[in-house]
Amino acid sequence: MFDTMTFTKIVGGVCGALLIFLLGKWAAETLYHTGGGHGDEHAQGYVIETGGDEPAEEAVEVAFADVLATADAGKGAKVFGKCKACHKLEDGANSTGPYLFGVVDRPVGTAAGFTSYSGALEAVAEVWTAETLNEFLASPKGYAPGTTMTFSGLKKIEDRANLIAYLATNGG
C-alpha cells in the first residue's frame, strides 16, 4: 500500500507547502512592514495645534427627570423598533422576552405567562419605575449582571426617555 517512495513524496509535499507558507509570510511582512526599527528619532513635518493646554469644557449632566418631562412618545415608537425582535406590546403576548404592555410601574418579573426570567432583575429592583427602566436600558448587563437580555443598551438619554414615554402610553 505505502511504499518508501510514496511516503517520501507525501513528506516532501508537506514540507514544500510549509516552506511556501513561511516564505509567503516573510514576503508579506517585508512588503507591508509599517514601523519600528528607526530609533527614537522621528521626523515631524508639521505640528497641528490642538489647544491641549486649555482645560476641556465639562459635559453638563442632565437630570433624567428633566429629559423624561420633555420626552416624545412618537420618537419612542421608533426607538421601540430595536425592542421588537424580542418583546411585544400586546397584553400577555410573550415572545423571546416578556410582553411590555403596562411595564412602567409594574413589579419586576411579573409578566403573566413568562417563565424565562434569570432572577438577576429581581435582585436589583422591585418595580419598573421610569428611573429603574432608564438605568436598565442604558446597560442591561451592567445594571443587572447575569440577566439573559442580550441587548447592549441605549446610549442616548433622550432615546431612553422617549422609549419610556412610549411604553408609558401603552398600558402604563
Side-chain angles (χ1 to χ4, degrees):
M1 179 150 117
F2 280 118
D3 59 352
T4 307
M5 188 60 144
T6 304
F7 184 71
T8 304
K9 288 179 185 178
I10 292 172
V11 171
V14 170
C15 289
L18 180 63
L19 180 63
I20 289 172
F21 174 75
L22 291 175
L23 286 175
K25 181 179 180 282
W26 172 79
E29 285 178 351
T30 302
L31 187 61
Y32 296 110
H33 186 68
T34 58
H38 300 294
D40 291 332
E41 300 171 15
H42 297 287
Q44 187 169 354
Y46 53 90
V47 176
I48 299 173
E49 293 296 327
T50 60
D53 295 338
E54 300 172 13
E57 190 175 310
E58 292 184 25
V60 177
E61 189 68 32
V62 180
F64 176 70
D66 296 337
V67 178
L68 185 61
T70 61
D72 182 3
K75 290 180 181 177
K78 292 179 183 175
V79 177
F80 184 74
K82 296 178 181 181
C83 310
K84 284 183 180 179
C86 299
H87 297 281
K88 298 194 183 311
L89 280 177
E90 296 80 28
D91 190 12
N94 292 311
S95 184
T96 305
Y99 67 90
L100 297 180
F101 180 84
V103 71
V104 179
D105 294 327
R106 179 173 76 195
V108 173
T110 59
F114 189 75
T115 58
S116 299
Y117 287 111
S118 64
L121 295 172
E122 290 88 355
V124 295
E126 293 180 15
V127 177
W128 283 124
T129 63
E131 290 77 20
T132 56
L133 280 168
N134 175 51
E135 293 177 34
F136 180 69
L137 291 171
S139 174
K141 297 253 185 226
Y143 180 72
T147 184
T148 55
M149 186 163 157
T150 58
F151 184 64
S152 63
L154 297 170
K155 303 304 174 212
K156 294 182 181 176
I157 192 169
E158 294 84 9
D159 287 347
R160 295 192 304 268
N162 291 337
L163 177 59
I164 293 167
Y166 175 68
L167 291 173
T169 63
N170 288 287

